[in-house]
Amino acid sequence: MSELLNETIRTELVEILSHMEDPVRLLLFVEEEPCAACLRQQEIVETVAALSEKLDVTILKPREHPRELERYGVDRFPATVPVGDKDYGIRFFGVTAGREFSSFLQTILMISTAYSGLAPQMDVLVSAIRQPVHLQVFVTLTCPYCPRMVHLAHQFAYASDSVRSDVIEGSEFPELTARYGVEGVPKTIINEATAIDGAVAESVLYLAVLRVVDPDDHRRIETSMRDTQGLRKVRPMDEAQTYDVIIVGGGPAALSAALYPARKGLDVGL
């Protein structure tokens, strides 16, 4: 990669990395006999680290560093783990080139500046997650929408010690794309239980996570959010209210009968 960095790009990267505050260590796990992807990723991390005094690279191999593999939960290569004062549960599996190079830089800055970038209220909600959450975001290096979803998943992992976020380069790990039926990217798997297609907003990912780890809380928060947004039109009947129409029944005919006056803006009791 170093020979591909012309002076302009190098200057831009130095400027981006100048915003780092605390040191970040890049742990690169590679095979004993490094694969092509391992060598390419090593070149990338070493090239980037050379541009800032606050970046350091450690190369780790299975035979020499079995404890580190177990500690960081690395079971495929190459794997890049950026850490600051602690492990934030952020993993890159594959090569952080192409569109994912920006994700790589964003993650380094997030850890170094100790700022998740989530909206304040969302940051509080995510930091309160206590049940284990495993996010696996499948990407390709040419996908323009993937970096947004990757960064969001990493933001969740940074904000909560209970969340781990893995980025998986689909072309490098075809067995995983087949296992999870990945036909388009980005695709995010949550705790092996549910999937999100495409890049989504903070609130959508949070509700999807909550639906998996705490269904009761999910229903409560989703109802509250829909009320706040004016999207929730159904609520318990009020005995003190005078309705324009009251329909007795609960089957298909009653529901259909309630639908039409409701569309006209009438107060309907069912």
Short mmCIF file of all heavy atoms in Angstrom, two decimals, residues 24-30 37-46 48-49 55-60 72-83 87-97 100 103-105 107-108 111 154 164-169 173:
data_model
loop_
_atom_site.label_atom_id
_atom_site.label_comp_id
_atom_site.label_asym_id
_atom_site.label_seq_id
_atom_site.Cartn_x
_atom_site.Cartn_y
_atom_site.Cartn_z
N VAL A 24 -3.35 4.38 20.16
CA VAL A 24 -4.13 3.21 19.76
C VAL A 24 -3.15 2.14 19.29
O VAL A 24 -2.22 2.42 18.53
CB VAL A 24 -5.12 3.55 18.63
CG1 VAL A 24 -5.81 2.27 18.12
CG2 VAL A 24 -6.16 4.55 19.10
N ARG A 25 -3.37 0.92 19.76
CA ARG A 25 -2.53 -0.19 19.33
C ARG A 25 -3.32 -1.07 18.39
O ARG A 25 -4.48 -1.41 18.66
CB ARG A 25 -2.08 -1.01 20.55
CG ARG A 25 -1.02 -2.06 20.23
CD ARG A 25 -0.21 -2.43 21.45
NE ARG A 25 -1.05 -2.96 22.51
CZ ARG A 25 -1.02 -4.24 22.91
NH1 ARG A 25 -0.22 -5.10 22.31
NH2 ARG A 25 -1.79 -4.64 23.88
N LEU A 26 -2.72 -1.42 17.27
CA LEU A 26 -3.36 -2.27 16.27
C LEU A 26 -2.78 -3.67 16.39
O LEU A 26 -1.60 -3.90 16.12
CB LEU A 26 -3.11 -1.71 14.86
CG LEU A 26 -3.60 -0.28 14.62
CD1 LEU A 26 -3.16 0.20 13.23
CD2 LEU A 26 -5.11 -0.18 14.77
N LEU A 27 -3.62 -4.61 16.84
CA LEU A 27 -3.21 -6.00 16.94
C LEU A 27 -3.60 -6.71 15.65
O LEU A 27 -4.79 -6.79 15.33
CB LEU A 27 -3.89 -6.67 18.13
CG LEU A 27 -3.75 -5.97 19.49
CD1 LEU A 27 -4.51 -6.76 20.56
CD2 LEU A 27 -2.30 -5.79 19.87
N LEU A 28 -2.61 -7.20 14.92
CA LEU A 28 -2.89 -7.90 13.67
C LEU A 28 -2.58 -9.38 13.83
O LEU A 28 -1.43 -9.77 14.05
CB LEU A 28 -2.05 -7.31 12.53
CG LEU A 28 -2.19 -8.01 11.18
CD1 LEU A 28 -3.64 -7.95 10.68
CD2 LEU A 28 -1.25 -7.41 10.15
N PHE A 29 -3.64 -10.19 13.72
CA PHE A 29 -3.48 -11.63 13.81
C PHE A 29 -3.38 -12.21 12.41
O PHE A 29 -4.26 -11.97 11.56
CB PHE A 29 -4.69 -12.25 14.53
CG PHE A 29 -4.79 -11.87 15.98
CD1 PHE A 29 -5.39 -10.68 16.37
CD2 PHE A 29 -4.30 -12.72 16.96
CE1 PHE A 29 -5.49 -10.33 17.71
CE2 PHE A 29 -4.39 -12.38 18.31
CZ PHE A 29 -4.99 -11.18 18.69
N VAL A 30 -2.31 -12.96 12.15
CA VAL A 30 -2.09 -13.56 10.84
C VAL A 30 -1.79 -15.04 11.00
O VAL A 30 -1.44 -15.51 12.09
CB VAL A 30 -0.93 -12.87 10.09
CG1 VAL A 30 -1.25 -11.40 9.83
CG2 VAL A 30 0.38 -13.00 10.87
N ALA A 37 -4.01 -12.25 1.85
CA ALA A 37 -4.78 -11.22 2.54
C ALA A 37 -4.07 -10.76 3.81
O ALA A 37 -4.10 -9.57 4.16
CB ALA A 37 -6.18 -11.74 2.87
N CYS A 38 -3.41 -11.70 4.49
CA CYS A 38 -2.65 -11.35 5.70
C CYS A 38 -1.53 -10.38 5.38
O CYS A 38 -1.32 -9.38 6.08
CB CYS A 38 -2.09 -12.60 6.36
SG CYS A 38 -3.33 -13.76 6.99
N LEU A 39 -0.81 -10.66 4.30
CA LEU A 39 0.30 -9.80 3.90
C LEU A 39 -0.19 -8.42 3.48
O LEU A 39 0.43 -7.40 3.81
CB LEU A 39 1.09 -10.46 2.77
CG LEU A 39 1.83 -11.74 3.14
CD1 LEU A 39 2.42 -12.39 1.89
CD2 LEU A 39 2.93 -11.45 4.15
N ARG A 40 -1.30 -8.41 2.79
CA ARG A 40 -1.85 -7.13 2.35
C ARG A 40 -2.31 -6.30 3.55
O ARG A 40 -2.06 -5.09 3.61
CB ARG A 40 -3.02 -7.37 1.39
CG ARG A 40 -3.54 -6.09 0.73
CD ARG A 40 -4.69 -6.37 -0.20
NE ARG A 40 -5.16 -5.15 -0.83
CZ ARG A 40 -6.34 -5.02 -1.43
NH1 ARG A 40 -7.17 -6.06 -1.48
NH2 ARG A 40 -6.70 -3.88 -1.98
N GLN A 41 -2.98 -6.95 4.52
CA GLN A 41 -3.44 -6.22 5.68
C GLN A 41 -2.27 -5.74 6.54
O GLN A 41 -2.32 -4.64 7.10
CB GLN A 41 -4.39 -7.09 6.51
CG GLN A 41 -4.99 -6.39 7.73
CD GLN A 41 -5.87 -5.20 7.37
OE1 GLN A 41 -6.14 -4.94 6.21
NE2 GLN A 41 -6.30 -4.48 8.39
N GLN A 42 -1.22 -6.54 6.62
CA GLN A 42 -0.05 -6.11 7.38
C GLN A 42 0.56 -4.86 6.75
O GLN A 42 0.96 -3.92 7.46
CB GLN A 42 0.99 -7.23 7.42
CG GLN A 42 2.24 -6.85 8.23
CD GLN A 42 3.17 -8.03 8.45
OE1 GLN A 42 2.77 -9.19 8.31
NE2 GLN A 42 4.41 -7.74 8.82
N GLU A 43 0.58 -4.82 5.44
CA GLU A 43 1.11 -3.63 4.76
C GLU A 43 0.25 -2.40 5.06
O GLU A 43 0.78 -1.31 5.30
CB GLU A 43 1.17 -3.87 3.25
CG GLU A 43 1.81 -2.72 2.49
CD GLU A 43 1.87 -2.96 1.00
OE1 GLU A 43 1.14 -3.85 0.50
OE2 GLU A 43 2.62 -2.25 0.32
N ILE A 44 -1.06 -2.61 5.09
CA ILE A 44 -1.97 -1.49 5.35
C ILE A 44 -1.77 -0.93 6.75
O ILE A 44 -1.59 0.27 6.94
CB ILE A 44 -3.44 -1.92 5.15
CG1 ILE A 44 -3.72 -2.16 3.67
CG2 ILE A 44 -4.39 -0.86 5.71
CD1 ILE A 44 -5.08 -2.75 3.39
N VAL A 45 -1.80 -1.81 7.76
CA VAL A 45 -1.70 -1.33 9.14
C VAL A 45 -0.34 -0.73 9.42
O VAL A 45 -0.22 0.29 10.13
CB VAL A 45 -2.04 -2.44 10.16
CG1 VAL A 45 -3.47 -2.93 9.99
CG2 VAL A 45 -1.07 -3.60 10.07
N GLU A 46 0.71 -1.29 8.85
CA GLU A 46 2.05 -0.74 9.09
C GLU A 46 2.24 0.59 8.38
O GLU A 46 2.89 1.50 8.91
CB GLU A 46 3.11 -1.74 8.65
CG GLU A 46 3.18 -2.97 9.55
CD GLU A 46 4.23 -3.97 9.13
OE1 GLU A 46 4.65 -3.94 7.95
OE2 GLU A 46 4.63 -4.81 9.98
N VAL A 48 -0.20 2.79 7.73
CA VAL A 48 -0.97 3.79 8.48
C VAL A 48 -0.26 4.13 9.78
O VAL A 48 -0.15 5.31 10.15
CB VAL A 48 -2.40 3.27 8.75
CG1 VAL A 48 -3.13 4.21 9.69
CG2 VAL A 48 -3.17 3.13 7.45
N ALA A 49 0.24 3.13 10.49
CA ALA A 49 0.89 3.36 11.78
C ALA A 49 2.13 4.22 11.63
O ALA A 49 2.47 4.99 12.54
CB ALA A 49 1.24 2.03 12.42
N LEU A 55 0.22 5.63 16.95
CA LEU A 55 -0.22 4.32 16.48
C LEU A 55 0.93 3.32 16.60
O LEU A 55 2.08 3.64 16.28
CB LEU A 55 -0.68 4.40 15.02
CG LEU A 55 -2.10 4.89 14.78
CD1 LEU A 55 -2.34 5.09 13.28
CD2 LEU A 55 -3.13 3.91 15.34
N ASP A 56 0.57 2.12 17.02
CA ASP A 56 1.57 1.07 17.17
C ASP A 56 0.97 -0.23 16.65
O ASP A 56 -0.24 -0.48 16.80
CB ASP A 56 1.96 0.93 18.64
CG ASP A 56 2.97 -0.17 18.86
OD1 ASP A 56 4.08 -0.06 18.31
OD2 ASP A 56 2.64 -1.16 19.54
N VAL A 57 1.79 -1.08 16.03
CA VAL A 57 1.32 -2.35 15.46
C VAL A 57 2.01 -3.52 16.14
O VAL A 57 3.23 -3.50 16.35
CB VAL A 57 1.60 -2.41 13.94
CG1 VAL A 57 1.17 -3.77 13.38
CG2 VAL A 57 0.90 -1.29 13.21
N THR A 58 1.22 -4.54 16.48
CA THR A 58 1.76 -5.78 17.02
C THR A 58 1.26 -6.93 16.14
O THR A 58 0.05 -7.08 15.93
CB THR A 58 1.31 -6.02 18.47
OG1 THR A 58 1.74 -4.92 19.28
CG2 THR A 58 1.89 -7.31 19.01
N ILE A 59 2.19 -7.72 15.61
CA ILE A 59 1.84 -8.86 14.77
C ILE A 59 1.78 -10.11 15.64
O ILE A 59 2.72 -10.41 16.39
CB ILE A 59 2.87 -9.06 13.64
CG1 ILE A 59 3.07 -7.77 12.85
CG2 ILE A 59 2.41 -10.19 12.72
CD1 ILE A 59 1.83 -7.26 12.16
N LEU A 60 0.67 -10.85 15.56
CA LEU A 60 0.46 -12.02 16.40
C LEU A 60 0.15 -13.24 15.53
O LEU A 60 -0.63 -13.15 14.58
CB LEU A 60 -0.70 -11.76 17.37
CG LEU A 60 -0.53 -10.54 18.29
CD1 LEU A 60 -1.86 -10.09 18.83
CD2 LEU A 60 0.41 -10.89 19.43
N TYR A 72 -8.88 -12.52 22.66
CA TYR A 72 -9.58 -11.62 21.74
C TYR A 72 -10.60 -12.34 20.86
O TYR A 72 -11.24 -11.71 20.02
CB TYR A 72 -8.57 -10.86 20.87
CG TYR A 72 -7.74 -9.87 21.68
CD1 TYR A 72 -6.45 -10.20 22.08
CD2 TYR A 72 -8.27 -8.65 22.07
CE1 TYR A 72 -5.69 -9.31 22.84
CE2 TYR A 72 -7.52 -7.76 22.83
CZ TYR A 72 -6.24 -8.10 23.20
OH TYR A 72 -5.50 -7.21 23.97
N GLY A 73 -10.75 -13.63 21.06
CA GLY A 73 -11.76 -14.38 20.32
C GLY A 73 -11.53 -14.40 18.82
O GLY A 73 -12.48 -14.34 18.05
N VAL A 74 -10.28 -14.53 18.42
CA VAL A 74 -9.94 -14.54 17.00
C VAL A 74 -9.88 -15.98 16.51
O VAL A 74 -9.14 -16.80 17.05
CB VAL A 74 -8.59 -13.83 16.75
CG1 VAL A 74 -8.15 -14.03 15.30
CG2 VAL A 74 -8.71 -12.36 17.08
N ASP A 75 -10.68 -16.28 15.49
CA ASP A 75 -10.71 -17.64 14.96
C ASP A 75 -10.57 -17.69 13.45
O ASP A 75 -10.77 -18.73 12.83
CB ASP A 75 -12.00 -18.34 15.38
CG ASP A 75 -13.24 -17.58 14.93
OD1 ASP A 75 -13.11 -16.51 14.29
OD2 ASP A 75 -14.36 -18.04 15.22
N ARG A 76 -10.22 -16.56 12.84
CA ARG A 76 -9.97 -16.52 11.39
C ARG A 76 -8.99 -15.39 11.11
O ARG A 76 -8.85 -14.46 11.90
CB ARG A 76 -11.29 -16.35 10.62
CG ARG A 76 -12.09 -15.13 10.99
CD ARG A 76 -13.44 -15.11 10.29
NE ARG A 76 -14.29 -16.19 10.75
CZ ARG A 76 -15.18 -16.06 11.74
NH1 ARG A 76 -15.33 -14.91 12.36
NH2 ARG A 76 -15.92 -17.06 12.13
N PHE A 77 -8.36 -15.45 9.92
CA PHE A 77 -7.28 -14.52 9.62
C PHE A 77 -7.42 -13.96 8.19
O PHE A 77 -7.93 -14.64 7.32
CB PHE A 77 -5.93 -15.24 9.74
CG PHE A 77 -5.78 -15.99 11.04
CD1 PHE A 77 -6.09 -17.35 11.11
CD2 PHE A 77 -5.35 -15.34 12.18
CE1 PHE A 77 -5.95 -18.05 12.31
CE2 PHE A 77 -5.21 -16.03 13.38
CZ PHE A 77 -5.52 -17.38 13.45
N PRO A 78 -6.93 -12.73 7.99
CA PRO A 78 -6.36 -11.82 8.99
C PRO A 78 -7.44 -11.19 9.85
O PRO A 78 -8.57 -11.02 9.42
CB PRO A 78 -5.67 -10.76 8.14
CG PRO A 78 -6.50 -10.71 6.88
CD PRO A 78 -6.93 -12.12 6.64
N ALA A 79 -7.05 -10.85 11.08
CA ALA A 79 -7.96 -10.18 12.00
C ALA A 79 -7.23 -8.98 12.60
O ALA A 79 -6.11 -9.12 13.08
CB ALA A 79 -8.41 -11.12 13.10
N THR A 80 -7.87 -7.83 12.55
CA THR A 80 -7.27 -6.61 13.09
C THR A 80 -8.11 -6.14 14.27
O THR A 80 -9.32 -5.95 14.14
CB THR A 80 -7.19 -5.50 12.03
OG1 THR A 80 -6.53 -6.01 10.87
CG2 THR A 80 -6.44 -4.29 12.57
N VAL A 81 -7.46 -5.97 15.41
CA VAL A 81 -8.15 -5.56 16.64
C VAL A 81 -7.55 -4.24 17.11
O VAL A 81 -6.42 -4.22 17.62
CB VAL A 81 -8.01 -6.62 17.74
CG1 VAL A 81 -8.76 -6.19 19.00
CG2 VAL A 81 -8.52 -7.98 17.25
N PRO A 82 -8.27 -3.13 16.97
CA PRO A 82 -7.76 -1.86 17.49
C PRO A 82 -8.14 -1.71 18.97
O PRO A 82 -9.29 -1.89 19.34
CB PRO A 82 -8.50 -0.82 16.63
CG PRO A 82 -9.76 -1.50 16.20
CD PRO A 82 -9.51 -2.98 16.21
N VAL A 83 -7.15 -1.42 19.80
CA VAL A 83 -7.41 -1.28 21.23
C VAL A 83 -6.81 0.03 21.72
O VAL A 83 -5.80 0.51 21.20
CB VAL A 83 -6.83 -2.46 22.04
CG1 VAL A 83 -7.48 -3.76 21.63
CG2 VAL A 83 -5.32 -2.55 21.86
N ASP A 87 -9.87 -3.23 25.49
CA ASP A 87 -10.43 -3.85 24.28
C ASP A 87 -11.90 -3.45 24.18
O ASP A 87 -12.67 -3.72 25.10
CB ASP A 87 -10.28 -5.37 24.35
CG ASP A 87 -10.98 -6.08 23.21
OD1 ASP A 87 -11.23 -5.44 22.18
OD2 ASP A 87 -11.27 -7.29 23.37
N TYR A 88 -12.28 -2.83 23.08
CA TYR A 88 -13.66 -2.37 22.91
C TYR A 88 -14.53 -3.37 22.14
O TYR A 88 -15.67 -3.06 21.80
CB TYR A 88 -13.68 -1.02 22.20
CG TYR A 88 -13.15 0.09 23.07
CD1 TYR A 88 -11.83 0.50 22.97
CD2 TYR A 88 -13.96 0.71 24.02
CE1 TYR A 88 -11.33 1.51 23.79
CE2 TYR A 88 -13.46 1.71 24.84
CZ TYR A 88 -12.16 2.11 24.72
OH TYR A 88 -11.66 3.10 25.53
N GLY A 89 -14.00 -4.55 21.86
CA GLY A 89 -14.80 -5.55 21.18
C GLY A 89 -14.98 -5.28 19.70
O GLY A 89 -15.96 -5.71 19.10
N ILE A 90 -14.05 -4.56 19.10
CA ILE A 90 -14.12 -4.20 17.68
C ILE A 90 -13.13 -5.07 16.91
O ILE A 90 -11.95 -5.14 17.25
CB ILE A 90 -13.82 -2.72 17.47
CG1 ILE A 90 -14.91 -1.86 18.13
CG2 ILE A 90 -13.68 -2.39 15.99
CD1 ILE A 90 -14.61 -0.37 18.13
N ARG A 91 -13.62 -5.72 15.85
CA ARG A 91 -12.79 -6.62 15.05
C ARG A 91 -13.00 -6.36 13.56
O ARG A 91 -14.13 -6.17 13.11
CB ARG A 91 -13.15 -8.10 15.33
CG ARG A 91 -13.23 -8.48 16.82
CD ARG A 91 -11.84 -8.61 17.43
NE ARG A 91 -11.91 -9.11 18.80
CZ ARG A 91 -11.92 -8.34 19.88
NH1 ARG A 91 -11.90 -7.02 19.74
NH2 ARG A 91 -11.94 -8.87 21.09
N PHE A 92 -11.90 -6.38 12.82
CA PHE A 92 -11.95 -6.38 11.35
C PHE A 92 -11.41 -7.71 10.88
O PHE A 92 -10.23 -8.01 11.11
CB PHE A 92 -11.09 -5.25 10.76
CG PHE A 92 -11.61 -3.86 10.98
CD1 PHE A 92 -11.22 -3.13 12.10
CD2 PHE A 92 -12.48 -3.27 10.07
CE1 PHE A 92 -11.68 -1.85 12.31
CE2 PHE A 92 -12.95 -1.97 10.27
CZ PHE A 92 -12.55 -1.26 11.38
N PHE A 93 -12.24 -8.51 10.22
CA PHE A 93 -11.79 -9.78 9.65
C PHE A 93 -11.70 -9.62 8.14
O PHE A 93 -12.70 -9.40 7.45
CB PHE A 93 -12.77 -10.91 10.00
CG PHE A 93 -12.73 -11.30 11.45
CD1 PHE A 93 -13.73 -10.87 12.32
CD2 PHE A 93 -11.71 -12.08 11.96
CE1 PHE A 93 -13.70 -11.22 13.66
CE2 PHE A 93 -11.67 -12.44 13.30
CZ PHE A 93 -12.67 -12.00 14.16
N GLY A 94 -10.47 -9.72 7.64
CA GLY A 94 -10.25 -9.48 6.22
C GLY A 94 -9.37 -8.26 6.03
O GLY A 94 -8.64 -7.85 6.93
N VAL A 95 -9.46 -7.67 4.86
CA VAL A 95 -8.60 -6.54 4.50
C VAL A 95 -9.38 -5.24 4.63
O VAL A 95 -10.51 -5.14 4.16
CB VAL A 95 -8.08 -6.70 3.05
CG1 VAL A 95 -7.23 -5.51 2.65
CG2 VAL A 95 -7.28 -7.99 2.92
N THR A 96 -8.76 -4.24 5.26
CA THR A 96 -9.42 -2.95 5.43
C THR A 96 -9.00 -2.00 4.31
O THR A 96 -8.50 -0.89 4.56
CB THR A 96 -9.07 -2.33 6.80
OG1 THR A 96 -7.65 -2.21 6.90
CG2 THR A 96 -9.60 -3.18 7.93
N ALA A 97 -9.22 -2.44 3.09
CA ALA A 97 -8.89 -1.62 1.93
C ALA A 97 -10.18 -1.13 1.28
O ALA A 97 -11.28 -1.35 1.79
CB ALA A 97 -8.06 -2.44 0.94
N GLU A 100 -13.64 0.15 2.89
CA GLU A 100 -13.50 -0.13 4.31
C GLU A 100 -12.27 0.53 4.94
O GLU A 100 -12.09 0.50 6.16
CB GLU A 100 -13.47 -1.63 4.57
CG GLU A 100 -14.83 -2.29 4.42
CD GLU A 100 -15.91 -1.54 5.19
OE1 GLU A 100 -15.71 -1.27 6.40
OE2 GLU A 100 -16.94 -1.19 4.59
N SER A 103 -13.63 3.14 7.15
CA SER A 103 -14.12 2.56 8.41
C SER A 103 -12.98 2.34 9.38
O SER A 103 -13.10 2.59 10.59
CB SER A 103 -14.83 1.24 8.15
OG SER A 103 -15.91 1.38 7.27
N PHE A 104 -11.87 1.88 8.86
CA PHE A 104 -10.68 1.63 9.66
C PHE A 104 -10.19 2.92 10.33
O PHE A 104 -9.94 2.96 11.54
CB PHE A 104 -9.61 1.03 8.76
CG PHE A 104 -8.35 0.61 9.45
CD1 PHE A 104 -8.39 -0.17 10.59
CD2 PHE A 104 -7.12 0.98 8.94
CE1 PHE A 104 -7.22 -0.57 11.23
CE2 PHE A 104 -5.94 0.59 9.57
CZ PHE A 104 -5.99 -0.19 10.71
N LEU A 105 -10.12 3.99 9.55
CA LEU A 105 -9.67 5.27 10.08
C LEU A 105 -10.66 5.82 11.10
O LEU A 105 -10.26 6.35 12.15
CB LEU A 105 -9.49 6.28 8.94
CG LEU A 105 -8.37 5.98 7.94
CD1 LEU A 105 -8.36 7.05 6.84
CD2 LEU A 105 -7.01 5.92 8.62
N THR A 107 -12.62 4.20 13.06
CA THR A 107 -12.53 3.44 14.30
C THR A 107 -11.31 3.86 15.12
O THR A 107 -11.39 4.01 16.35
CB THR A 107 -12.47 1.94 14.00
OG1 THR A 107 -13.67 1.55 13.32
CG2 THR A 107 -12.34 1.12 15.28
N ILE A 108 -10.19 4.06 14.44
CA ILE A 108 -8.98 4.53 15.13
C ILE A 108 -9.24 5.86 15.82
O ILE A 108 -8.91 6.05 17.00
CB ILE A 108 -7.82 4.66 14.13
CG1 ILE A 108 -7.37 3.28 13.65
CG2 ILE A 108 -6.66 5.44 14.75
CD1 ILE A 108 -6.34 3.31 12.54
N ILE A 111 -11.67 5.54 18.94
CA ILE A 111 -11.00 5.01 20.13
C ILE A 111 -10.04 6.04 20.71
O ILE A 111 -9.96 6.24 21.92
CB ILE A 111 -10.28 3.70 19.79
CG1 ILE A 111 -11.30 2.60 19.45
CG2 ILE A 111 -9.37 3.25 20.93
CD1 ILE A 111 -10.67 1.31 18.97
N HIS A 154 -19.63 -0.49 15.22
CA HIS A 154 -18.46 -0.22 16.05
C HIS A 154 -18.79 0.81 17.13
O HIS A 154 -18.26 0.74 18.25
CB HIS A 154 -17.31 0.26 15.19
CG HIS A 154 -16.64 -0.82 14.41
ND1 HIS A 154 -16.94 -2.16 14.56
CD2 HIS A 154 -15.68 -0.77 13.46
CE1 HIS A 154 -16.18 -2.87 13.75
NE2 HIS A 154 -15.40 -2.05 13.07
N ARG A 164 -20.07 -6.77 21.05
CA ARG A 164 -18.90 -7.02 20.21
C ARG A 164 -19.32 -6.83 18.76
O ARG A 164 -20.39 -7.27 18.35
CB ARG A 164 -18.36 -8.44 20.42
CG ARG A 164 -17.35 -8.83 19.35
CD ARG A 164 -16.62 -10.11 19.63
NE ARG A 164 -15.99 -10.64 18.43
CZ ARG A 164 -15.05 -11.58 18.41
NH1 ARG A 164 -14.63 -12.09 19.55
NH2 ARG A 164 -14.55 -12.01 17.27
N SER A 165 -18.47 -6.17 17.99
CA SER A 165 -18.79 -5.88 16.59
C SER A 165 -17.70 -6.42 15.68
O SER A 165 -16.53 -6.00 15.76
CB SER A 165 -18.93 -4.36 16.39
OG SER A 165 -19.05 -4.05 15.01
N ASP A 166 -18.07 -7.35 14.80
CA ASP A 166 -17.14 -7.93 13.84
C ASP A 166 -17.48 -7.45 12.44
O ASP A 166 -18.65 -7.51 12.03
CB ASP A 166 -17.23 -9.46 13.83
CG ASP A 166 -16.79 -10.08 15.14
OD1 ASP A 166 -16.27 -9.34 16.00
OD2 ASP A 166 -16.98 -11.30 15.30
N VAL A 167 -16.48 -6.99 11.71
CA VAL A 167 -16.64 -6.70 10.28
C VAL A 167 -16.07 -7.89 9.52
O VAL A 167 -14.93 -8.29 9.77
CB VAL A 167 -15.90 -5.42 9.88
CG1 VAL A 167 -16.05 -5.19 8.38
CG2 VAL A 167 -16.44 -4.24 10.64
N ILE A 168 -16.84 -8.44 8.62
CA ILE A 168 -16.41 -9.63 7.89
C ILE A 168 -16.43 -9.34 6.39
O ILE A 168 -17.49 -9.05 5.82
CB ILE A 168 -17.31 -10.83 8.21
CG1 ILE A 168 -17.26 -11.13 9.71
CG2 ILE A 168 -16.89 -12.05 7.40
CD1 ILE A 168 -18.27 -12.14 10.17
N GLU A 169 -15.26 -9.38 5.80
CA GLU A 169 -15.16 -9.18 4.35
C GLU A 169 -15.65 -10.45 3.66
O GLU A 169 -15.00 -11.50 3.72
CB GLU A 169 -13.71 -8.87 3.97
CG GLU A 169 -13.53 -8.59 2.49
CD GLU A 169 -12.08 -8.65 2.06
OE1 GLU A 169 -11.19 -8.61 2.93
OE2 GLU A 169 -11.85 -8.76 0.84
N PHE A 173 -14.21 -14.68 3.28
CA PHE A 173 -14.76 -15.76 4.11
C PHE A 173 -16.08 -16.26 3.52
O PHE A 173 -17.16 -16.07 4.09
CB PHE A 173 -14.97 -15.24 5.55
CG PHE A 173 -13.72 -14.71 6.18
CD1 PHE A 173 -13.50 -13.34 6.25
CD2 PHE A 173 -12.75 -15.57 6.68
CE1 PHE A 173 -12.35 -12.83 6.81
CE2 PHE A 173 -11.58 -15.07 7.25
CZ PHE A 173 -11.38 -13.69 7.31
#
